[in-house]
Amino acid sequence: MESHLRGQLWHASGGLVYHGRAWRYRNTLWAPFLQQVESWLEAWAPRPKQLLIVGPSAGYTLPAQWLSRFARIDILEPDPLARWLLEQRFPDCVFHAGDLDCFALDEGPMQLAHAYPHSAILFSNVIGQIFEGGPTPIWRAALQMAMRGRCWASYHDIASCHILPARRQVVTLPACSRLEDILPHFWDGREIAVYDHGCLDLADAQCAYGMWSITPRQHHIVGWCSNTEG
Ligand SMILES: C[S@@+](CC[C@H](N)C(=O)[O-])C[C@H]1O[C@@H](n2cnc3c(N)ncnc32)[C@H](O)[C@@H]1O
């Protein structure tokens, strides 16, 4: 049995609020993070000519030139406005929208891998936003199993808070790092309360961490992990 995406304009992680923020900050506050995502994507360099993007929204964090290297792009995105904006923002790309909800069931990652056997898979800042407190251990294990030998990557929220970070440089740390190891790289060892998005150890390889200030009062550590096999 598969679970299907239902159209939604008000999802907490996307929808109208997110489009408004993108419209306001994309060229200013977001610019350093967008550059960072571009360099992560360029370094990933997937071999497959087909790409599946999970949670693209309108592709605010995705570079047009990088997308243009793919012969086919599939997307899984429940927000109909986001899908329409995606087409307007990237007129040179054709996006094929699917309706598999890979987060709804424990077997979602397996269903995803089977539905798109020849595609590189990009989780585009979505895993840290879907599950309250992070993916369940079962879903996480299913993801690792489903992505074994596949070309895939994810950038996802790790921790967020309202306090302005002291530093914004990207750091690369081993897979077993704890939040206490990561926070001092951005907040200088100060005692701060953060919301833990529960996405540490999503992959069993090292992870890079960057800072995304989504608004002047909302700052997210975003993790990047990738695999080029497959
Ligand atoms: C923070 S936004 C992603 C940002 C986006 N990648 C960008 O470049 O601007 C998270 C997106 O995930 C989408 N989403 C929510 N539930 C989803 C699901 N079950 N499958 C795929 N995408 C989902 C939301 O509609 C939203 O557009």
Side-chain angles (χ1 to χ4, degrees):
M1 201 186 66
E2 270 185 11
S3 186
H4 298 284
L5 288 176
R6 272 189 240 125
Q8 50 188 29
L9 275 172
W10 288 108
H11 193 275
S13 77
L16 294 176
V17 173
Y18 184 67
H19 296 305
R21 286 176 174 173
W23 181 78
R24 184 154 181 205
Y25 296 120
R26 191 164 41 90
N27 296 319
T28 53
L29 192 61
W30 290 14
F33 177 70
L34 303 194
Q35 243 170 22
Q36 185 54 53
V37 174
E38 183 162 2
S39 47
W40 282 334
L41 292 171
E42 287 294 342
W44 178 34
R47 273 196 301 271
K49 295 312 272 175
Q50 299 184 31
L51 174 70
L52 167 69
I53 311 173
V54 184
S57 183
Y60 300 116
T61 64
L62 297 170
Q65 211 182 335
W66 185 79
L67 288 177
S68 70
R69 69 172 65 182
F70 295 97
R72 178 182 170 104
I73 304 178
D74 291 279
I75 58 166
L76 295 174
E77 172 52 68
D79 173 353
L81 176 60
R83 295 196 299 267
W84 183 79
L85 286 168
L86 188 66
E87 283 169 9
Q88 311 311 306
R89 286 176 30 78
F90 301 96
D92 295 336
C93 297
V94 177
F95 298 99
H96 303 267
D99 72 348
L100 171 67
D101 187 344
C102 63
F103 301 110
L105 301 173
D106 289 341
E107 53 271 36
M110 281 299 183
Q111 292 171 340
L112 189 72
H114 286 137
Y116 299 93
H118 304 300
S119 302
I121 299 177
L122 176 66
F123 293 91
S124 179
N125 202 36
V126 64
I127 301 180
Q129 310 238 340
I130 297 294
F131 304 94
E132 184 71 38
T136 62
I138 295 178
W139 192 92
R140 190 186 300 246
L143 178 74
Q144 285 180 352
M145 196 181 297
M147 294 299 130
R148 204 159 288 151
R150 290 294 299 260
C151 181
W152 76 287
S154 174
Y155 51 109
H156 42 264
D157 285 326
I158 297 290
S160 54
C161 85
H162 296 304
I163 299 171
L164 202 64
R167 281 179 281 143
R168 295 171 174 277
Q169 83 295 354
V170 172
V171 290
T172 302
L173 298 171
C176 54
S177 303
R178 298 160 310 150
L179 210 48
E180 305 89 274
D181 303 326
I182 300 168
L183 295 180
H185 290 277
F186 297 95
W187 280 284
D188 266 349
R190 268 189 293 164
E191 284 264 319
I192 54 162
V194 296
Y195 176 77
D196 181 351
H197 291 257
C199 282
L200 278 174
D201 294 345
L202 205 60
D204 45 13
Q206 64 177 16
C207 209
Y209 301 94
M211 175 58 63
W212 185 10
S213 290
I214 293 190
T215 73
R217 279 190 39 78
Q218 195 177 335
H219 313 282
H220 291 226
I221 296 178
V222 176
W224 163 263
C225 57
S226 64
N227 184 14
T228 41
E229 284 170 40

